[in-house]
Amino acid sequence: MIRNILGSLVALAGAASAVLSPFRDWYDGRAGQDYRVRDLFEGITATESGVLVSILLPFLFAALLVIAGVVLGSRLAVALAGLVVLGFTILWMVRQGQATGSLTVGGDGAGLQVGVVNALAGGVLMLIGALLMRGRGRGVARARREREREPVEPYGAPPADQVDMWPPTQEPGMSTHTSPWPEPEVDPYTGPDPHDPRTRSYPQAPPPGRAGDPRDPVHPPQRPPEG
């Protein structure tokens, strides 16, 4: 993310430098907007040029490519814009050298001037910005690989208020995972309480402190029949 932002800023700075360069002096006090695009292919002449048909035209096209590349995250578009700026600038230098016999750099206003430097710097900045950008295609592919590497749970825990389809039986039933605390254990059944008077069908236990009667009050012992 940081590389994309930094690369975009560098590329946009290069586009601004390239677009501004035709309005500055290029050679012997002649501004870049005074050179026609056709002069780059047919030879430099002294004919003045309009702004929209000057060397500014390919630089504006390159600036639009940079903006599109930044919006779409395309490194190819930004790099192509840098090559367009550098290509037209170098082509102008070749034609200017053919027209004057040589190219000179002078500090007194003669020879190559600051406009050419701005154009070359703008093209280089565009290429650097394209190298810094990661590109949308690579970012999407990397995000997809990261999602594929993430472990996927075969069975997710259902919400507490919905029907549970819990493995391994996959039988429906209400979820019991409603509390983080363990469930209380239920006392096992041990039969009716012998001290409860409501249990009439069972022999009552003798009161405390009295010896127990071994005879069954419900089924008393019978005297055996006399033979």
Side-chain angles (χ1 to χ4, degrees), residues 7 27 37 128:
Y27 198 83
V37 175
I128 294 175

Side-chain angles (χ1 to χ4, degrees), residues 58-74:
F59 290 175
L60 285 176
F61 173 74
L64 293 177
L65 273 181
V66 170
I67 294 174
V70 169
V71 172
L72 300 177
S74 174

Side-chain angles (χ1 to χ4, degrees), residues 28-100:
D28 284 341
R30 189 177 182 183
Q33 62 181 349
D34 294 335
Y35 293 95
R36 298 179 300 176
V37 175
R38 60 182 297 182
D39 291 346
L40 303 180
F41 302 95
E42 299 176 358
I44 301 296
T45 63
T47 305
E48 297 293 333
S49 172
V51 176
L52 296 181
V53 294
S54 68
I55 199 173
L56 175 65
L57 183 61
F59 290 175
L60 285 176
F61 173 74
L64 293 177
L65 273 181
V66 170
I67 294 174
V70 169
V71 172
L72 300 177
S74 174
R75 300 174 60 187
L76 180 61
V78 177
L80 180 61
L83 293 177
V84 168
V85 172
L86 291 178
F88 275 90
T89 305
I90 294 174
L91 180 60
W92 172 87
M93 295 174 67
V94 172
R95 292 300 186 183
Q96 184 65 40
Q98 292 175 349
T100 58

